[in-house]
Amino acid sequence: MSTIMTNTKRAIRDVYGETLAQLGRENPDIVALDADVGSSSKSIVFGKEFPKRYYNVGVAEANMVAMAAGLATAGKIPFANTFAAFMVLRAADPVRSLIAYTGLNVKLAGTYAGLSDSYDGASHHAIADIAFMRALPNMTVVSVSDPVEAELATRAVAAYKGPVYLRLSRAEVPVILDKASYNFEIGKGVTLVEGKDLTIVATGYMLIKALEAAEILAKRGIQARVVNIHTIKPIDAALLIRCAQETGAVVTAEEHNVYGGLGSAVAEVLTRQCPVPMEFVGIEDTFTESGDYEKLLAKYGLSAAHIVSKAELALRRKG
Amino acid sequence: MSLSNERKRFLEETCLGLRRDLIKLLFGIQTGHPGGSLSSTEIMTTLYFEKLRVDPKNPKDPNRDRFILGKGHAAPMLYMILAARGFFPQDDLVTLRQLDSHLQGHPCAKKTCGVELSTGPLGLGLPAGLGMAMAAKLDGHDYRTVVLMGDGELQEGIVWEAAMSASKFAADNLLVIVDNNGVQLDGTVSEIMPMGDIPAKWRSFGWNVIEIDGHCVEAIADAVDLAATVKGVPTVIVAKTVKGKGVSFMEGKSAWHGKPIGKEEYANAMKELGVTV
């Protein structure tokens, strides 16, 4: 087991910024770009230390991503930074036409993903980014759950050859993974809690909610397995099939629309290879609103309690 | 004048040959865009046969010049020139736009040797070219990045995002050439979306601007050389051209942006280019 529940909280974006700067020290080919949100994405940490390898293009996300593509053609490893919502919407064309199409080695770091930029409202929430990125051939999609994973994932993404969408949260979240024992490998899911009754497959900040849900279920005599899928594409099909075979029911949990994200990706694997009762925890195809982050998550169905009730529903269907 | 009479004659003859081959090719496959290929013939020919530092035997040389066809629909002319320069066999040209060909309808850097960037959706070539120019500066390379754009393409907002960025980052190793043929897919540029004073627009974004006749190989060669002497700011060459140049019934006609060539049209076009078919 690689989980530890701690009270230590750290903002994912701070860990990302520091890791990017550290990567910059280790590899001179790493460059970073931002579209006037460097102090939010924390790419500014890199920018202050390496001003010659840092391009702030102003409020011009598509231009930033296309520039990153050009830099990658010449062997640089560009990290392009903006809010997740704008990475997929404003920069969709260069993401598809330049980066995914040719398989360029660009890292698209989408910060403030899900509802984590909570007070800014639906315009700044990213609930369709996984769906878009996952639908592009050649694109790898990585979603970060806690501060430990933020560092390990950023490092792994930098070392990986090819285009990657790195989904990052704005939120300050507890450390739940044990850095000493946690093994992060792109494409490999991680079982954090063993269980035989059903499997909760979670990504991003919903991982901690899944762990909480498993504790609640345990008190009710239900042994839920908890699996962290940090790489949504390519998804760890072998692990998912094994979980479905061994536990007979699956609940997915993600901070994203229920259409097109983690739940869809898991269902695509299981419907073909091991159909079992499945339930989906996510935003129910609606636009969200401004508010306190935790209250917002609860209102839109993204809490441990929601995972518990969906788990019980899946179990009833399992019979 | 940077061209000898001999080189000038060679380039002009090459352009004529390329025009003939283009009409023959597009007639044969009954698809593809003749208009924009014909307006940019002299520009691309002068670049590839006279100015660009590229070597088909070492196509990935880190210090090679980069050429980006922003107006990706002029791919047929680019392919013919790349084949003529030896990047791939000329026999491949007839497979253009057909299944299993490495010659896609719009340039694909992954499939075609010598294509530096996948283009087609307009406006992406310039910002990507800026990225290449920035990489050159980081690596201490002296290669140049040249982006050929259409005037209709200038209507894409990202072009001006990139124009202001190239200024800010002092990309003097970046050269844009605007194939200013005055015609876009749906009609003339002045009808569809008037671009006003194109040189003034670039100047206001901080660019050095050179205006030339885009069908004069000497003027193109001189302008490319002149641009290299300007330091601290990027340069744009605004090249006045004629869409469909060389085939009178195609000239200035938006209908010939991307229309199959009929049998009679083929014979007439070839006759104008000095060949009886």
Side-chain angles (χ1 to χ4, degrees), chain A residues 59-275:
Chain A
V59 193
E61 295 82 5
N63 176 45
M64 169 185 72
V65 168
M67 259 187 85
L71 283 155
T73 66
K76 300 295 154 200
I77 305 171
F79 275 72
N81 299 273
T82 182
F83 293 176
F86 307 141
M87 188 69 83
V88 296
L89 299 170
R90 289 289 169 88
D93 187 3
V95 166
R96 179 200 72 136
S97 309
L98 298 179
I99 292 166
Y101 185 31
T102 315
L104 294 177
N105 193 23
V106 175
K107 315 307 174 187
L108 303 158
T111 192
Y112 288 30
L115 313 186
S116 64
D117 186 20
S118 70
Y119 291 106
D120 276 334
S123 62
H124 283 53
H125 298 165
I127 63 167
D129 54 325
I130 297 174
F132 172 75
M133 289 293 183
R134 190 168 90 73
L136 297 175
N138 296 333
M139 187 63 73
T140 290
V141 179
V142 171
S143 154
V144 164
S145 62
D146 90 329
V148 167
E149 196 165 65
E151 181 188 341
L152 297 175
T154 305
R155 286 194 158 277
V157 161
Y160 180 86
K161 293 264 185 294
V164 182
Y165 175 54
L166 179 62
R167 189 177 206 240
L168 299 162
S169 168
R170 177 186 195 278
E172 196 178 82
V173 301
V175 172
I176 55 170
L177 299 168
D178 174 28
K179 194 176 170 184
S181 62
Y182 187 69
N183 182 30
F184 184 96
E185 192 182 334
I186 288 177
K188 291 276 177 223
V190 185
T191 304
L192 294 176
V193 177
E194 288 294 352
K196 61 177 176 47
D197 296 328
L198 87 157
T199 306
I200 304 170
V201 178
T203 197
Y205 184 45
M206 291 307 285
L207 182 61
I208 189 165
K209 308 288 182 195
L211 293 168
E212 286 168 23
E215 283 183 12
I216 298 168
L217 288 163
K219 286 178 189 146
R220 299 179 191 178
I222 298 161
Q223 292 181 298
R225 183 179 297 185
V226 178
V227 169
N228 177 21
I229 290 290
H230 52 66
T231 307
I232 297 168
K233 186 187 175 186
I235 202 157
D236 191 344
L239 175 64
L240 293 170
I241 293 163
R242 196 165 70 242
C243 290
Q245 285 167 344
E246 290 170 2
T247 69
V250 171
V251 174
T252 58
E254 62 192 306
E255 200 178 329
H256 187 274
N257 198 336
V258 286
Y259 296 153
L262 171 72
S264 301
V266 173
E268 285 156 17
V269 172
L270 296 185
T271 349
R272 277 189 285 204
Q273 307 204 48
C274 184

